[in-house]
Amino acid sequence: MLEPETLVFVIDDDDSVRRALARLIRSAGHSVEVFASAQEFLAEVDVDAHPACLVLDVQLPDLDGLQLQQQLGATLPIIFLTGHGDICMTVRAMKAGASDFLTKPVRDTDLLQAIEHALESANQCFASRCERNTLRQRFNRLTPREREVMALVVTGRLNKQVAGELGTAEKTIKAHRARVMTKMEVTSLAQLVHIVDRAQILSAGDNRPSA
Amino acid sequence: MNMLFPAIVFAQAAVIVWLLMSRTHRNPTTSPGGGYGQPDLSDQIAGVSGSRFRAPSVDTRIHTRVVARMADLFATSIPPGTQPDQPVECGQKDIKETLHKTAPGVHRARHTPAGRRHMATLRALHRVLSDHRGSNSNNESITQGASHDGLVDDFRNLWQSLPLAVFMLGGGGEVLAANARAETLFGYEDGEMIGKPVSLLVPEVDDPRSSLWRKDIPSASPGRPSEAARRVVARRKHGTEFPAEIVIRRSFLREDTSTLAFVEDRSDHYELLRNQQDLAHLTRVSTMGELAGSLAHELNQPLTAILSNVQAAQRFMAADPVDVAEVREILNDIVQDDYRASEVLRRIRATVKKVDMESVPLDLATVIRDAVLLLHSDAIVRETRVALEICDDVPAVCADKVQLQQVALNLLLNAFDAMSQVAPKDRVVWVELTLQSDNMARIAVRDCGHGLTVGKLDAIFKPFYTSKPHGLGLGLSISRSIVELHGGRIWADNNLDRGATFYVTLPTGNDTGNPKSRY
């Protein structure tokens, strides 16, 4: 599978600042997409499609940086840039999960380091999101009975115990269990336990196929 | 300005009376030579200053003409109006009638202090004339010589006590006579000015571009509108200069002409003007202080762009091969951002600099756009939008750019303040520039804030009136003095729906009502 390209989004209402920042980020080998306003960004970008981070000016007309952060939640790491940030603004941004908070004019090393750091966590997030999606796809292939069997098997119960709890024959459970292992693409019980844990498939009573 | 005209007219009248007296004395029968600066006339004028002539008799006919002439002169500067409220003490019916008939409007001037003063002087003059003439015609035993001597002395006193400097000039612009006030004002000794060129006192007279001294100097005759006083720089004997107003008139007296120059010291007026400008400057600096934060941001943007561009260029240069096209583009951008930063600085400096007021043709649209640009960051921080509706056909106005920009800034900031309680999406200031009439431009600044208290629409322009917790209450009062100084008008009105609109009208084209740049 081809690795999707990492992206750096830049939102700044000032044309020349936007161009300069884009150049600087591109000079470090990143792909950059620029936007003049938060609305433009929201309208054009699918934040789940790429591992990406956002370089965001705080003072924007209409929807400002902090409001955009609220709307985006934790979908991508945000590096804030501001001309005159105060402590209050910084605290708000960091509490809401900002990756970094830098002041203009910004030194190239500071900005690029912050971007590296943000992209690293974006890549991790993206990888685990991909993994979770894959596992969920596999899980979606299971029948309701197979899900029940899997839920009990991963808690360490023997086939016999599972059969007792579900009120069926041990042989039937064995067949279900073999199909679970095949559909989930694992070869050992240990692997099954691991991926179920990683993908948190069975958390919060989630044992039905998701949409 | 208003005070100057009655004084000038009066002075002119006095001078004419004097000339008539002296003519009667020197050569009552022969016709004088035409043109001013004739030897006989100069002698007479010199006599005015040098106290060496004596008039033996007064001719009744001339006497009546003098009064008529005086009355005419008054009538040229004061509109016709009411009858006098108290009769002038006068022994001679014809004089009184002449005066009343010819210049009924003179008495309207008594309502102003200056007017009252001139009225009193006029009455005194009238009395002098009447007394002398009365005694002359009623009592033949009194010698005419003694009677006329008194009259001449009285006029000499009047001439000397006139409250403004009066010069009588020869054809080459040389001073033939100057009164006491003129000598004091210009720092000369008694009689020392005689023969000196008037350009020594008012250098502008020599300037070919100035139309001060020309062949067709207007005379003050009945029915002719008074010519505006000219603002000039006058020079004292010891070289110091002062602002003054000058009126140059030609006076016809039978076939004789003489040129009279009336000079009034305007130092006080300009000092007041300067104080007003100092105050305006202080409030501009204070406004800039309030805007410091947003202006710093305005400078920070190009600096940010320049730094990032330079550092990007350094990285591109380190790469192999060097992307020359990219670096070239970066350099272009850096140049532009540098210009942009210096433009921000220029606007700030232009606003806070302390210079003498100057009157130049200005495009009001540029003035408005500059003010809006200065407030660009402030508007973003306050989440306020500024919408411009500029009519392109508005001709230039003659004005001081910094001061008009101050008015625009003030009105915009007031509009911003008025909308602080309004929901951000509704915070819009509309600025409109239109041509109200052929020679009047109008700026309207409309907000949608809380509006103005009805009944306070005039009070807001008074000094120290403020509705803001931290306001000085000077912004609008200074704006008003600036607008009025430029011959315009400023007022406010509540909008029909919400908020208020401030209007400023300014005359377009050449406006001569502006003070000279030096003062």
PDB file of all heavy atoms in Angstrom, chain B residues 34-59:
ATOM      1  N   GLY B  34      -3.887 115.443 -11.456  1.00  0.00           N
ATOM      2  CA  GLY B  34      -4.407 114.091 -11.222  1.00  0.00           C
ATOM      3  C   GLY B  34      -3.317 113.123 -10.795  1.00  0.00           C
ATOM      4  O   GLY B  34      -2.143 113.412 -10.911  1.00  0.00           O
ATOM      5  N   GLY B  35      -3.733 111.984 -10.278  1.00  0.00           N
ATOM      6  CA  GLY B  35      -2.803 110.910  -9.922  1.00  0.00           C
ATOM      7  C   GLY B  35      -2.264 111.054  -8.530  1.00  0.00           C
ATOM      8  O   GLY B  35      -2.064 112.162  -8.042  1.00  0.00           O
ATOM      9  N   TYR B  36      -2.039 109.952  -7.908  1.00  0.00           N
ATOM     10  CA  TYR B  36      -1.501 110.058  -6.558  1.00  0.00           C
ATOM     11  C   TYR B  36      -0.014 110.278  -6.610  1.00  0.00           C
ATOM     12  O   TYR B  36       0.639 110.000  -7.606  1.00  0.00           O
ATOM     13  CB  TYR B  36      -1.852 108.821  -5.720  1.00  0.00           C
ATOM     14  CG  TYR B  36      -1.496 107.514  -6.341  1.00  0.00           C
ATOM     15  CD1 TYR B  36      -0.222 106.981  -6.210  1.00  0.00           C
ATOM     16  CD2 TYR B  36      -2.443 106.801  -7.072  1.00  0.00           C
ATOM     17  CE1 TYR B  36       0.100 105.782  -6.777  1.00  0.00           C
ATOM     18  CE2 TYR B  36      -2.124 105.600  -7.652  1.00  0.00           C
ATOM     19  CZ  TYR B  36      -0.851 105.084  -7.507  1.00  0.00           C
ATOM     20  OH  TYR B  36      -0.543 103.905  -8.058  1.00  0.00           O
ATOM     21  N   GLY B  37       0.478 110.776  -5.528  1.00  0.00           N
ATOM     22  CA  GLY B  37       1.907 111.018  -5.469  1.00  0.00           C
ATOM     23  C   GLY B  37       2.286 112.353  -6.080  1.00  0.00           C
ATOM     24  O   GLY B  37       3.441 112.631  -6.310  1.00  0.00           O
ATOM     25  N   GLN B  38       1.321 113.212  -6.367  1.00  0.00           N
ATOM     26  CA  GLN B  38       1.632 114.551  -6.850  1.00  0.00           C
ATOM     27  C   GLN B  38       2.268 115.349  -5.718  1.00  0.00           C
ATOM     28  O   GLN B  38       1.952 115.147  -4.563  1.00  0.00           O
ATOM     29  CB  GLN B  38       0.336 115.249  -7.287  1.00  0.00           C
ATOM     30  CG  GLN B  38      -0.308 114.611  -8.505  1.00  0.00           C
ATOM     31  CD  GLN B  38       0.536 114.763  -9.747  1.00  0.00           C
ATOM     32  OE1 GLN B  38       1.092 115.830  -9.990  1.00  0.00           O
ATOM     33  NE2 GLN B  38       0.654 113.707 -10.529  1.00  0.00           N
ATOM     34  N   PRO B  39       3.160 116.265  -6.095  1.00  0.00           N
ATOM     35  CA  PRO B  39       3.904 116.986  -5.055  1.00  0.00           C
ATOM     36  C   PRO B  39       2.997 117.659  -4.018  1.00  0.00           C
ATOM     37  O   PRO B  39       3.254 117.537  -2.829  1.00  0.00           O
ATOM     38  CB  PRO B  39       4.687 118.027  -5.849  1.00  0.00           C
ATOM     39  CG  PRO B  39       4.746 117.506  -7.239  1.00  0.00           C
ATOM     40  CD  PRO B  39       3.572 116.622  -7.445  1.00  0.00           C
ATOM     41  N   ASP B  40       1.910 118.310  -4.497  1.00  0.00           N
ATOM     42  CA  ASP B  40       1.091 119.038  -3.522  1.00  0.00           C
ATOM     43  C   ASP B  40       0.448 118.081  -2.521  1.00  0.00           C
ATOM     44  O   ASP B  40       0.414 118.332  -1.335  1.00  0.00           O
ATOM     45  CB  ASP B  40       0.020 119.875  -4.244  1.00  0.00           C
ATOM     46  CG  ASP B  40      -0.891 119.028  -5.090  1.00  0.00           C
ATOM     47  OD1 ASP B  40      -0.459 117.905  -5.478  1.00  0.00           O
ATOM     48  OD2 ASP B  40      -2.009 119.466  -5.357  1.00  0.00           O
ATOM     49  N   LEU B  41       0.023 116.926  -3.048  1.00  0.00           N
ATOM     50  CA  LEU B  41      -0.625 115.937  -2.174  1.00  0.00           C
ATOM     51  C   LEU B  41       0.370 115.375  -1.153  1.00  0.00           C
ATOM     52  O   LEU B  41       0.081 115.253   0.033  1.00  0.00           O
ATOM     53  CB  LEU B  41      -1.195 114.808  -3.033  1.00  0.00           C
ATOM     54  CG  LEU B  41      -2.062 113.797  -2.317  1.00  0.00           C
ATOM     55  CD1 LEU B  41      -3.269 114.502  -1.702  1.00  0.00           C
ATOM     56  CD2 LEU B  41      -2.519 112.734  -3.299  1.00  0.00           C
ATOM     57  N   SER B  42       1.572 115.050  -1.650  1.00  0.00           N
ATOM     58  CA  SER B  42       2.593 114.516  -0.755  1.00  0.00           C
ATOM     59  C   SER B  42       2.884 115.490   0.367  1.00  0.00           C
ATOM     60  O   SER B  42       3.058 115.105   1.523  1.00  0.00           O
ATOM     61  CB  SER B  42       3.886 114.245  -1.522  1.00  0.00           C
ATOM     62  OG  SER B  42       3.605 113.446  -2.633  1.00  0.00           O
ATOM     63  N   ASP B  43       2.948 116.756  -0.008  1.00  0.00           N
ATOM     64  CA  ASP B  43       3.206 117.772   1.009  1.00  0.00           C
ATOM     65  C   ASP B  43       2.125 117.750   2.072  1.00  0.00           C
ATOM     66  O   ASP B  43       2.398 117.839   3.261  1.00  0.00           O
ATOM     67  CB  ASP B  43       3.245 119.165   0.371  1.00  0.00           C
ATOM     68  CG  ASP B  43       4.542 119.366  -0.398  1.00  0.00           C
ATOM     69  OD1 ASP B  43       5.411 118.466  -0.277  1.00  0.00           O
ATOM     70  OD2 ASP B  43       4.656 120.381  -1.099  1.00  0.00           O
ATOM     71  N   GLN B  44       0.904 117.628   1.568  1.00  0.00           N
ATOM     72  CA  GLN B  44      -0.195 117.624   2.529  1.00  0.00           C
ATOM     73  C   GLN B  44      -0.075 116.450   3.487  1.00  0.00           C
ATOM     74  O   GLN B  44      -0.283 116.557   4.681  1.00  0.00           O
ATOM     75  CB  GLN B  44      -1.535 117.512   1.790  1.00  0.00           C
ATOM     76  CG  GLN B  44      -1.856 118.741   0.984  1.00  0.00           C
ATOM     77  CD  GLN B  44      -2.970 118.440  -0.001  1.00  0.00           C
ATOM     78  OE1 GLN B  44      -3.726 117.504   0.199  1.00  0.00           O
ATOM     79  NE2 GLN B  44      -3.053 119.247  -1.031  1.00  0.00           N
ATOM     80  N   ILE B  45       0.249 115.279   2.876  1.00  0.00           N
ATOM     81  CA  ILE B  45       0.335 114.088   3.707  1.00  0.00           C
ATOM     82  C   ILE B  45       1.480 114.196   4.689  1.00  0.00           C
ATOM     83  O   ILE B  45       1.377 113.856   5.851  1.00  0.00           O
ATOM     84  CB  ILE B  45       0.486 112.844   2.822  1.00  0.00           C
ATOM     85  CG1 ILE B  45      -0.764 112.690   1.957  1.00  0.00           C
ATOM     86  CG2 ILE B  45       0.712 111.602   3.636  1.00  0.00           C
ATOM     87  CD1 ILE B  45      -0.527 111.908   0.715  1.00  0.00           C
ATOM     88  N   ALA B  46       2.594 114.702   4.173  1.00  0.00           N
ATOM     89  CA  ALA B  46       3.734 114.909   5.064  1.00  0.00           C
ATOM     90  C   ALA B  46       3.312 115.819   6.197  1.00  0.00           C
ATOM     91  O   ALA B  46       3.710 115.641   7.345  1.00  0.00           O
ATOM     92  CB  ALA B  46       4.897 115.510   4.283  1.00  0.00           C
ATOM     93  N   GLY B  47       2.483 116.761   5.873  1.00  0.00           N
ATOM     94  CA  GLY B  47       1.977 117.671   6.880  1.00  0.00           C
ATOM     95  C   GLY B  47       1.186 116.949   7.951  1.00  0.00           C
ATOM     96  O   GLY B  47       1.222 117.316   9.112  1.00  0.00           O
ATOM     97  N   VAL B  48       0.518 115.914   7.541  1.00  0.00           N
ATOM     98  CA  VAL B  48      -0.263 115.135   8.502  1.00  0.00           C
ATOM     99  C   VAL B  48       0.632 114.593   9.591  1.00  0.00           C
ATOM    100  O   VAL B  48       0.326 114.656  10.765  1.00  0.00           O
ATOM    101  CB  VAL B  48      -0.983 113.979   7.765  1.00  0.00           C
ATOM    102  CG1 VAL B  48      -1.574 113.006   8.758  1.00  0.00           C
ATOM    103  CG2 VAL B  48      -2.053 114.540   6.850  1.00  0.00           C
ATOM    104  N   SER B  49       1.782 114.068   9.135  1.00  0.00           N
ATOM    105  CA  SER B  49       2.696 113.498  10.110  1.00  0.00           C
ATOM    106  C   SER B  49       3.537 114.571  10.778  1.00  0.00           C
ATOM    107  O   SER B  49       3.812 114.525  11.957  1.00  0.00           O
ATOM    108  CB  SER B  49       3.636 112.513   9.414  1.00  0.00           C
ATOM    109  OG  SER B  49       2.995 111.298   9.270  1.00  0.00           O
ATOM    110  N   GLY B  50       3.954 115.519   9.971  1.00  0.00           N
ATOM    111  CA  GLY B  50       4.911 116.483  10.482  1.00  0.00           C
ATOM    112  C   GLY B  50       4.279 117.681  11.183  1.00  0.00           C
ATOM    113  O   GLY B  50       5.003 118.569  11.603  1.00  0.00           O
ATOM    114  N   SER B  51       2.990 117.730  11.278  1.00  0.00           N
ATOM    115  CA  SER B  51       2.256 118.786  11.984  1.00  0.00           C
ATOM    116  C   SER B  51       2.665 120.173  11.542  1.00  0.00           C
ATOM    117  O   SER B  51       2.913 121.046  12.358  1.00  0.00           O
ATOM    118  CB  SER B  51       2.466 118.693  13.501  1.00  0.00           C
ATOM    119  OG  SER B  51       2.636 117.391  13.896  1.00  0.00           O
ATOM    120  N   ARG B  52       2.816 120.364  10.255  1.00  0.00           N
ATOM    121  CA  ARG B  52       3.273 121.695   9.881  1.00  0.00           C
ATOM    122  C   ARG B  52       2.278 122.440   8.987  1.00  0.00           C
ATOM    123  O   ARG B  52       2.613 123.390   8.337  1.00  0.00           O
ATOM    124  CB  ARG B  52       4.655 121.640   9.234  1.00  0.00           C
ATOM    125  CG  ARG B  52       4.750 120.791   7.965  1.00  0.00           C
ATOM    126  CD  ARG B  52       6.147 120.884   7.383  1.00  0.00           C
ATOM    127  NE  ARG B  52       6.453 119.787   6.522  1.00  0.00           N
ATOM    128  CZ  ARG B  52       6.143 119.754   5.238  1.00  0.00           C
ATOM    129  NH1 ARG B  52       5.491 120.743   4.692  1.00  0.00           N
ATOM    130  NH2 ARG B  52       6.482 118.718   4.511  1.00  0.00           N
ATOM    131  N   PHE B  53       1.075 121.945   8.888  1.00  0.00           N
ATOM    132  CA  PHE B  53       0.195 122.764   8.070  1.00  0.00           C
ATOM    133  C   PHE B  53      -1.007 123.256   8.874  1.00  0.00           C
ATOM    134  O   PHE B  53      -1.419 122.652   9.857  1.00  0.00           O
ATOM    135  CB  PHE B  53      -0.194 121.994   6.795  1.00  0.00           C
ATOM    136  CG  PHE B  53      -1.526 121.330   6.824  1.00  0.00           C
ATOM    137  CD1 PHE B  53      -2.583 121.861   6.093  1.00  0.00           C
ATOM    138  CD2 PHE B  53      -1.747 120.182   7.572  1.00  0.00           C
ATOM    139  CE1 PHE B  53      -3.796 121.237   6.102  1.00  0.00           C
ATOM    140  CE2 PHE B  53      -2.966 119.564   7.572  1.00  0.00           C
ATOM    141  CZ  PHE B  53      -3.997 120.089   6.833  1.00  0.00           C
ATOM    142  N   ARG B  54      -1.519 124.358   8.459  1.00  0.00           N
ATOM    143  CA  ARG B  54      -2.630 124.996   9.157  1.00  0.00           C
ATOM    144  C   ARG B  54      -3.733 125.278   8.150  1.00  0.00           C
ATOM    145  O   ARG B  54      -3.469 125.799   7.058  1.00  0.00           O
ATOM    146  CB  ARG B  54      -2.176 126.338   9.773  1.00  0.00           C
ATOM    147  CG  ARG B  54      -1.265 126.156  10.980  1.00  0.00           C
ATOM    148  CD  ARG B  54      -2.070 125.702  12.194  1.00  0.00           C
ATOM    149  NE  ARG B  54      -1.216 125.500  13.346  1.00  0.00           N
ATOM    150  CZ  ARG B  54      -0.594 124.337  13.598  1.00  0.00           C
ATOM    151  NH1 ARG B  54      -0.723 123.338  12.774  1.00  0.00           N
ATOM    152  NH2 ARG B  54       0.130 124.210  14.674  1.00  0.00           N
ATOM    153  N   ALA B  55      -4.941 124.970   8.476  1.00  0.00           N
ATOM    154  CA  ALA B  55      -6.049 125.265   7.569  1.00  0.00           C
ATOM    155  C   ALA B  55      -6.828 126.440   8.110  1.00  0.00           C
ATOM    156  O   ALA B  55      -7.281 126.414   9.234  1.00  0.00           O
ATOM    157  CB  ALA B  55      -6.966 124.053   7.469  1.00  0.00           C
ATOM    158  N   PRO B  56      -6.957 127.514   7.327  1.00  0.00           N
ATOM    159  CA  PRO B  56      -7.610 128.708   7.845  1.00  0.00           C
ATOM    160  C   PRO B  56      -9.126 128.614   7.843  1.00  0.00           C
ATOM    161  O   PRO B  56      -9.776 129.245   8.646  1.00  0.00           O
ATOM    162  CB  PRO B  56      -7.138 129.801   6.884  1.00  0.00           C
ATOM    163  CG  PRO B  56      -6.839 129.095   5.600  1.00  0.00           C
ATOM    164  CD  PRO B  56      -6.481 127.699   5.941  1.00  0.00           C
ATOM    165  N   SER B  57      -9.715 127.839   6.921  1.00  0.00           N
ATOM    166  CA  SER B  57     -11.167 127.877   6.854  1.00  0.00           C
ATOM    167  C   SER B  57     -11.737 126.532   6.432  1.00  0.00           C
ATOM    168  O   SER B  57     -11.064 125.686   5.878  1.00  0.00           O
ATOM    169  CB  SER B  57     -11.610 128.937   5.844  1.00  0.00           C
ATOM    170  OG  SER B  57     -11.184 128.522   4.558  1.00  0.00           O
ATOM    171  N   VAL B  58     -13.034 126.388   6.707  1.00  0.00           N
ATOM    172  CA  VAL B  58     -13.712 125.167   6.290  1.00  0.00           C
ATOM    173  C   VAL B  58     -14.865 125.565   5.406  1.00  0.00           C
ATOM    174  O   VAL B  58     -15.651 126.432   5.738  1.00  0.00           O
ATOM    175  CB  VAL B  58     -14.244 124.406   7.527  1.00  0.00           C
ATOM    176  CG1 VAL B  58     -15.010 123.169   7.078  1.00  0.00           C
ATOM    177  CG2 VAL B  58     -13.095 124.053   8.427  1.00  0.00           C
ATOM    178  N   ASP B  59     -14.926 124.917   4.290  1.00  0.00           N
ATOM    179  CA  ASP B  59     -15.998 125.211   3.366  1.00  0.00           C
ATOM    180  C   ASP B  59     -17.181 124.305   3.671  1.00  0.00           C
ATOM    181  O   ASP B  59     -17.048 123.100   3.792  1.00  0.00           O
ATOM    182  CB  ASP B  59     -15.482 124.979   1.941  1.00  0.00           C
ATOM    183  CG  ASP B  59     -16.600 125.144   0.950  1.00  0.00           C
ATOM    184  OD1 ASP B  59     -17.089 126.272   0.818  1.00  0.00           O
ATOM    185  OD2 ASP B  59     -16.971 124.120   0.343  1.00  0.00           O
TER     186      ASP B  59
END
